[in-house]
Amino acid sequence: MRFFASALDAHYKRHLAPIVDELLSRGHVLDEGAEWVLTAGRLDAYRLSRRGRSPILVEHGAGQTYMLNGVRVDASGMRPDPGVRLYLGPNGQVAGFMRSQLPEAECVVVGSPALEHLAATMKQERSLVVFAVHWHSGLRVPEAGTSWPWSLPVARELHETYQDRFRVHAHPRIFGRVVSQISRARFAPIFEADWDVLAQDCAVLVCDNSSIIWEAATLGIRVVLVDAPGWGERHGLRFGPQADQFLHVDSADRVVAAVEGAPAPTDPGVYELMEGATSLAADTIVHSVDRR
């Protein structure tokens, strides 16, 4: 099989890399001109299909969706797109939704190869408190936005309390802004752009809205959720009953107590498969391409 991998963002590459490595180890060929292209971005898949390529879309998150004007949409807000030929998702619920968005695609549950890779690197004893924020997707739904910079005082409080045990992380599309604004606020935590590096030693994750919440829960990392002003709708997943297992905070003066009292996660329930996910993803891709 000849294929190519298109990774416009670092977090896309993270989800594609284990699959690419597995396909290459089986003797398949990475060729920039190949018809079949792996991507982890829906907009990227749309562009590829318009250029006559056959996109294979790998889910790069946990499958968070939102209700917009009474219609369920993903974070891209895109309309159904017939261009994708194969979709690889973390669980049956997400795959079911994506069948409505990708009407020509075979939608298959493979879990998360990226999470399988990360799980193999985790330390037994972990000490870090990690603060992370998502970017504003542009979707006109408050919950699809970011808590930043409203949550800057939360980061400051955590830094003052945990000092060398504290790290700051953010979605790649907002990371530079977070670093800049914290620097101007005159406190100096350690920043880390790579979630895989942080997760290995993360004891508690304090986050507003990101798929790393569910990766953390799957790996046994305790989670505290930051609720920004104006967030209150129930969309499901991060904004649904499954997130009620975590402590929520809406102000800086409550965050340290929440970190100290955060319970162990009880219902990760997002990644239906972790062990064997990479092999299954590669098998699915090869079989799907062969059938076409």
Side-chain angles (χ1 to χ4, degrees):
M1 185 187 89
R2 302 174 74 84
F3 72 98
F4 183 63
S6 176
L8 298 180
D9 294 302
H11 62 305
Y12 290 175
K13 183 177 180 180
R14 172 180 180 255
H15 288 271
L16 299 179
I19 304 172
V20 170
D21 290 345
E22 177 68 17
L23 289 170
L24 292 176
S25 74
R26 298 182 184 193
H28 300 288
V29 178
L30 191 65
D31 177 0
E32 189 170 351
E35 174 191 353
W36 292 91
V37 185
L38 275 64
T39 180
R42 190 160 173 213
L43 181 57
D44 194 24
Y46 174 83
R47 290 169 175 163
L48 287 163
S49 67
R50 295 303 177 272
R51 296 171 187 163
R53 314 291 280 275
S54 296
I56 297 170
L57 179 59
V58 179
E59 178 60 61
H60 72 268
Q64 179 70 54
T65 58
Y66 302 92
M67 296 303 299
L68 176 63
N69 299 325
V71 177
R72 186 164 296 280
V73 298
D74 66 7
S76 73
M78 291 180 64
R79 296 177 179 178
D81 174 21
V84 174
R85 295 292 174 261
L86 174 65
Y87 169 81
L88 305 179
N91 59 59
Q93 183 174 357
V94 176
F97 169 73
M98 292 307 291
R99 287 187 187 100
S100 70
Q101 303 301 296
L102 310 172
E104 299 299 321
E106 179 184 10
C107 296
V108 182
V109 176
V110 300
S112 173
L115 184 57
E116 180 182 32
H117 175 77
L118 175 56
T121 71
M122 295 294 289
K123 296 179 181 180
Q124 288 295 108
E125 300 293 328
R126 302 187 293 272
S127 63
L128 295 181
V129 175
V130 175
F131 169 83
V133 291
H134 201 247
W135 74 300
H136 195 298
S137 70
L139 195 65
R140 294 183 179 179
V141 175
E143 292 77 13
T146 177
S147 68
W148 194 260
W150 170 87
S151 56
L152 189 151
V154 174
R156 185 194 295 275
E157 183 69 21
L158 291 171
H159 177 247
E160 291 177 355
T161 302
Y162 297 105
Q163 296 292 319
D164 291 344
R165 290 177 52 209
F166 178 61
R167 301 289 187 274
V168 171
H169 176 67
H171 187 285
R173 296 182 184 179
I174 199 176
F175 185 80
R177 176 183 165 196
V178 170
V179 172
S180 175
Q181 290 180 329
I182 284 180
S183 298
R184 289 202 299 271
R186 298 189 178 183
F187 65 108
I190 297 172
F191 301 97
E192 176 54 65
D194 191 335
W195 165 242
D196 285 341
V197 170
L198 286 175
Q200 296 172 27
D201 195 25
C202 181
V204 184
L205 172 65
V206 181
C207 186
D208 52 7
N209 176 23
S210 170
S211 62
I212 66 173
I213 291 167
W214 305 105
E215 291 193 17
T218 302
L219 296 168
I221 297 169
R222 293 178 290 140
V223 174
V224 174
L225 296 180
V226 175
D227 292 330
W231 289 7
E233 293 297 320
R234 301 286 274 184
H235 302 277
L237 204 57
R238 161 59 178 91
F239 302 99
Q242 203 166 353
D244 293 342
Q245 65 183 299
F246 307 126
L247 295 183
H248 293 238
V249 296
D250 57 8
S251 64
D253 59 1
R254 298 181 182 181
V255 70
V256 172
V259 167
E260 296 300 319
T266 57
D267 179 24
V270 171
Y271 299 99
E272 291 183 5
L273 178 73
M274 182 167 61
E275 186 175 351
T278 305
S279 180
L280 177 58
D283 288 343
T284 303
I285 290 168
V286 173
H287 294 160
S288 180
V289 171
D290 285 347
R291 284 198 303 271
R292 291 176 188 261

